[in-house]
Each structure stands twice: as C-alpha cells, then as structure tokens.
Amino acid sequence: MANQKKSPKPTKNFGNKILDQTIDKLKALPWKYISLVLITLFFFSFVAILTYDSGHYLGYVSIFEGNAPASSWDIVRGPVFPGIIYLFNVFFGKTNAGILVGLFVFYLIFICICYKILDEICQNYKHKKLIKVIAFIILTLNPLIFGYFHVLLTEFVAITITMLNILMAYRWLFIKHNKKSLILYAVYFVFSTIFCYHLKQPYIIIAIIPPLTAAIISIVKNHRWKNILYRFGTIVVSGIFLLFSILAWNGILDKMGVDKNTGRDSASMLGQQLLLAYQIPYDNDGDGENDKVSTTEAVGIILNEFIKNPKKITKIYLQNYCGLTSMCEITTPNGHDFFSTGNLVGLATYENTFIGYSTFREEPNVSPMKEEMTARASVYEVNTYGKNIFAKFYDNLRIPSNVLFKIATVTYPIFLIFIIIIHHKDKKRKYSKLFYLNIILLTTTAIHMIVSAGIGLIIDRYAVEIVAPSLLGIFGSITYSYLILKNPIKEKFHGKKK
C-alpha cells in the first residue's frame, strides 16, 4: 500500500493560539486614543454639581472678584480652592460648562498619572498592554472617583495632587545627582506642601508623606551624608517655607481686616475636633458647652484620658477608623458633628453616596443653600432632568464601586506587610523599583488613614483621595508578589531545573 499522508491531529494548543491571536489583535488597537475619546464622551455627558459647601466657597470667589468685602473671609479656609474656582471662571467662563472644563483638566492630569504608574506595574506581564488598559478603565471610570471629578469641592484637586505627589516622589528616588534636577524636585515639594495646606489643612498629609517615604528609602539605599542632608533637607525646607506661607497669609488676612479671634483658626478648631473625636466633654465653666482649647491642650487631655481608660479611647479610635472606611455606621446629632456607632453597614456608604454619586442622580445640580449662596450658585445651574444612558450604567455600578472603596481602605495593610516580608527573596533586586513604588503608594494610604481617624476625620469622603493610590498599591503588590514567588512555586510543583 502506498504511504498515506496522515491528517494532522488538532493540537492541544489550538485554543491557546486563537486566544493569543485575539489578544494580539486587541493589543494592536490604538487604545490610548480610544480611551481618550470614550473618557471625554463620558465626562461631558454629565454636569458639574454644586453642594452646600460649594456655595460657601463661592463666597470667597466673590472676594476675588471684588463683589464681597475682604473682611468676610473665614480664617479657617485657605485661598487655594477659591483661587482655582476663580481661575476656572476667568479662563473657561462663569458657567457650568466652564466649571466642567476646569474639572476635566484635573481629571486628565489624574488619568495620565494613573497610566504612567500602571506602566510601571504592568511592564512584566505577557499581555501588559491589555491588562494595563483593563486596570486603567476600572480605576479611572470608577463611579466614585469619576463622580467626585464632577463635584465642585476640594476632593477632585486632592485626588489629583495625591497621585502627582506620589509619582514625583517615586521619580525623585532615581534622579541623577545633578544640581538642576535636585533643585527642581526640591522646588516642587516646597510648592506642593504650601499648595496642599492652603487647599485644606488635613491635605498636608498627602504633601509630606510621599516625599518623606521616598527620602527614607533613598537613605536606606545610600547612606552618604550628602544624600541624607539633601533628602531630609528637602523635607525640612518644605516645612520652613510652609511656616513662612502661613505667616504671610495671616499678614494678608490682617490687611484685609479679617477678625482672627473668632475661634475658627486651625489650631482652635483642631483642638475642639480632637476632643469631639474621642467624645471627651470639656466644660470648665459649667455653661453646658465645650470650652475652646488649643491643639496642645486637647492632646494632653486625650493622653490623660487614655492613661485612665485605654480601652475606651482605643475602642473609639477603632470606631473612627471603621467609619472612615465606610464599614461602620456614621451618625450626626446636628449635621456638623459626626460619630461612628461601630455598627457594621455592609456595602453602604455615607457621604460617598450623597456627594460622590450625586452626579448620576436625576436631581437639580445645585443643592439647597442659603439665599445669598443660591444667588452666587444660580449662574451654574442647568437642567439635569432625564437620565442619560451613562448615568443609568453608572448607577448600576454603585455596589461594585463601594466594594472597591472598602477593599482600598481596609485591605491595604495586608499587602503592605506582605511585600515587606517577601522583599528579601528578591536577592538580585530585579523588581526593586516596583517594590519602592508599592511602598510609596501604600504608605501614603496608611498614614492618611491612621492620621485622619486619629484627628476625627471619620466621614468616608475624607478617604476618597487615597482610593486610587491604595488600589494601585494593591494591584502592584499582587504583581510584585507573583514575580517574586513564581519561581519558588514552579520549583515546588515541578521540581528544580537540572
């Protein structure tokens, strides 16, 4: 019989080849431009939202415009955010569309930084382009983050500047030691420190922690005195210039004729806030109201209370932390003092629901305000009735978005501790850059959460600026752990290569 050609048998890898071909075709698409078009379309399908606090900030914009007396400035408010709104009006028009364009500028900066950081995290994946795009879409089109970029409050600025500070701190680690680069980075961190504090005082955390973490990492790597002096010197100089900026701003307030003895200065308000956070009544004169105390006095009172009853203070702190993560119920007796009950709330959130998701509700875009505030905010009012298809889509993503928020604010310590433990396995320091990036991301998250809970900032809205750093840090930690442990796992199940 003549030799017959045997038909080729289907290979086991046929399905994998089809999958790889499909992925290669997807990877070949111009995803940067597709993403930009989709994001722009999504973004401008919604309007800018103005809350009660937005109306409060517009009062300071009126001072910039010369339409209100300078002496009416509230000394607890910094000039940065009203200045940003004023610039939106000047450059983009005093309309809702003008505000929306300004918000979009910050959003673009935010998504570009996320893309750069995802570049660092995904570079060792086989299908890195596709994985990066999926992670990018999940992060930047997250309804909570996306929603806050449509609300005229400080959160959209804080989300952006947090990511920018982290990226700059990460790059600061690897700069060449030439005078120009060293000076430029130092100038940036000085500016960032001043900017964040005068945006809102608690934001000083997101200004200081990224460069401080990077400075410590750099000194651990390089013990030379020159490096130590420069790294810590940059942090110290930033603090010194911050003090000068506070003195300068106080001088401006004096010239404006602002009364600074109202008890609404930062030190007095922080003192009262601390006592309130730990539910400590302080009424020396017996008039039924808490007396005004300085921050130093408040810290002393809390320490004395802790010595007397450590379990009580620890329990309250943990409840505060739980409230910040939106895992525990928040209650308020008067609308401005907030307490965590310690009762679990499942997948619900508090102000994230009222404010972050307000973008997707069929309600007026300007919240009820006092009469003088309404007069200022009315120029930004537009018709928002009739939900568009994107609003309905986002509305259905609230629960997954809440889950991501809780993951970001609860699980990050596990990943931070784990990557520190396994770092010794990276003996060749092949993935050290990714390790350092994760440390900066997760340390910023950790310090922000710990300090915020400690000073009584227990509403979930105060944690929104660290959602992106935390989720990126968690994703980066999973990636780093896989890269470090994949060879030992292979050896365990398949034996060592001879």
Side-chain angles (χ1 to χ4, degrees):
M1 289 178 67
N3 290 334
Q4 294 181 354
K5 289 185 178 179
K6 294 182 181 180
S7 57
K9 293 181 180 180
T11 63
K12 293 181 181 179
N13 293 327
F14 181 73
N16 291 338
K17 286 182 179 178
I18 294 294
L19 179 62
D20 287 343
Q21 288 172 0
T22 303
I23 290 172
D24 287 340
K25 287 179 181 178
L26 288 171
K27 284 161 60 178
L29 292 172
W31 282 107
K32 284 183 183 179
Y33 302 105
I34 292 171
S35 297
L36 183 60
V37 169
L38 288 175
I39 285 168
T40 305
L41 182 64
F42 282 170
F43 194 93
F44 285 98
S45 65
F46 299 97
V47 299
I49 305 295
L50 278 75
T51 68
Y52 182 90
D53 284 349
S54 305
H56 191 56
Y57 280 112
L58 290 177
Y60 309 123
V61 178
S62 295
I63 295 174
F64 280 116
E65 294 171 336
N67 297 324
S71 59
S72 64
W73 195 284
D74 185 347
I75 60 172
V76 80
R77 301 295 184 187
V80 169
F81 191 60
I84 289 171
I85 301 173
Y86 175 73
L87 291 175
F88 284 178
N89 290 341
V90 170
F91 289 110
F92 309 124
K94 196 173 180 178
T95 61
N96 192 281
I99 291 293
L100 203 58
V101 172
L103 294 169
F104 188 62
V105 170
F106 277 86
Y107 186 63
L108 277 180
I109 296 169
F110 167 74
I111 64 177
C112 288
I113 295 167
C114 289
Y115 197 84
K116 289 287 184 185
I117 290 177
L118 282 167
D119 262 341
E120 296 290 328
I121 294 172
C122 297
Q123 60 181 309
N124 291 293
Y125 281 108
K126 180 181 178 183
H127 302 296
K128 61 182 180 181
K129 191 172 182 180
L130 185 60
I131 292 170
K132 181 171 65 177
V133 167
I134 293 169
F136 176 76
I137 290 172
I138 290 171
L139 185 67
T140 58
L141 294 182
N142 178 299
L144 187 61
I145 294 174
F146 186 84
Y148 273 110
F149 272 100
H150 285 78
V151 181
L152 196 62
L153 291 173
T154 58
E155 276 70 25
F156 76 89
V157 185
I159 292 169
T160 305
I161 197 70
T162 301
M163 292 302 299
L164 183 57
N165 286 342
I166 287 170
L167 181 63
M168 293 295 284
Y170 173 67
R171 289 185 168 176
W172 190 43
L173 267 174
F174 307 105
I175 60 166
K176 293 179 180 178
H177 279 253
N178 61 70
K179 286 185 179 180
K180 186 178 178 180
S181 296
L182 297 178
I183 291 170
L184 285 175
Y185 273 95
V187 168
Y188 171 81
F189 290 125
V190 168
F191 169 78
S192 170
T193 303
I194 295 170
F195 180 92
C196 288
Y197 179 84
H198 291 288
L199 174 65
K200 201 172 185 179
Q201 292 89 337
Y203 293 150
I204 190 66
I205 304 168
I206 58 177
I208 293 294
I209 298 306
L212 179 59
T213 305
I216 293 169
I217 292 170
S218 177
I219 290 167
V220 169
K221 290 169 57 184
N222 179 358
H223 309 312
R224 293 180 182 176
W225 278 108
K226 193 174 181 180
N227 187 53
I228 294 171
L229 287 172
Y230 168 67
R231 300 293 176 172
F232 278 146
T234 299
I235 308 299
V236 172
V237 168
S238 297
I240 291 170
F241 272 90
L242 173 62
L243 291 175
F244 284 142
S245 76
I246 293 170
L247 292 173
W249 176 241
N250 286 337
I252 292 170
L253 292 175
D254 285 333
K255 288 183 179 179
M256 290 164 62
V258 176
D259 180 8
K260 295 197 295 185
N261 297 313
T262 61
R264 282 186 59 80
D265 58 284
S266 300
S268 297
M269 290 193 71
L270 180 56
Q272 291 173 290
Q273 182 178 300
L274 285 168
L275 294 184
L276 189 69
Y278 292 95
Q279 302 171 29
I280 300 172
Y282 190 70
D283 181 18
N284 277 349
D285 52 18
D287 63 355
E289 294 184 6
N290 281 348
D291 295 336
K292 293 174 182 177
V293 295
S294 68
T295 302
T296 306
E297 289 173 323
V299 170
I301 293 168
I302 293 168
L303 287 174
N304 286 333
E305 195 69 22
F306 179 78
I307 292 168
K308 292 177 189 175
N309 197 341
K311 286 185 179 179
K312 176 189 171 184
I313 298 300
T314 302
K315 181 182 177 182
I316 291 174
Y317 175 82
L318 293 175
Q319 286 179 349
N320 290 346
Y321 193 97
C322 193
L324 184 61
T325 65
S326 80
M327 295 295 290
C328 288
E329 179 187 28
I330 295 291
T331 184
T332 174
N334 50 22
H336 55 79
D337 296 330
F338 298 92
F339 302 95
S340 173
T341 64
N343 299 324
L344 297 177
V345 294
L347 297 178
T349 58
Y350 189 65
E351 281 202 351
N352 285 346
T353 297
F354 304 137
I355 297 176
Y357 298 138
S358 61
T359 309
F360 317 120
R361 287 198 294 270
E362 194 173 334
E363 295 177 357
N365 73 305
V366 176
S367 300
M369 303 174 184
K370 292 179 181 178
E371 189 176 344
E372 67 272 15
M373 292 181 180
T374 303
R376 298 185 194 108
S378 60
V379 295
Y380 305 105
E381 195 168 1
V382 293
N383 180 18
T384 57
Y385 288 96
K387 279 189 176 182
N388 62 46
I389 188 172
F390 299 132
K392 293 175 182 176
F393 169 74
Y394 272 123
D395 222 19
N396 293 326
L397 291 178
R398 284 191 188 190
I399 297 301
S401 180
N402 287 350
V403 170
L404 281 177
F405 178 83
K406 291 170 193 284
I407 288 172
T409 55
V410 173
T411 66
Y412 69 87
I414 298 169
F415 294 94
L416 179 58
I417 293 167
F418 187 71
I419 60 170
I420 291 172
I421 291 172
I422 67 167
H423 180 57
H424 74 279
K425 290 184 177 289
D426 187 16
K427 294 177 181 178
K428 295 181 180 179
R429 297 294 184 260
K430 187 177 179 182
Y431 307 110
S432 59
K433 282 192 172 184
L434 180 56
F435 174 73
Y436 299 142
L437 175 59
N438 291 332
I439 291 294
I440 296 171
L441 287 163
L442 295 178
T443 301
T444 302
T445 300
I447 302 301
H448 183 279
M449 292 294 292
I450 291 166
V451 173
S452 296
I455 63 176
L457 300 176
I458 64 172
I459 304 172
D460 50 17
R461 177 163 67 97
Y462 296 136
V464 75
E465 59 264 29
I466 54 86
V467 171
S470 183
L471 290 176
L472 284 166
I474 290 169
F475 178 42
S477 297
I478 292 170
T479 302
Y480 177 75
S481 301
Y482 168 73
L483 293 170
I484 297 299
L485 298 176
K486 66 177 180 178
N487 289 332
I489 290 171
K490 283 182 180 179
E491 290 172 2
K492 181 177 180 180
F493 288 99
H494 304 290
K496 292 183 179 181
K497 292 181 180 180
K498 292 181 181 180

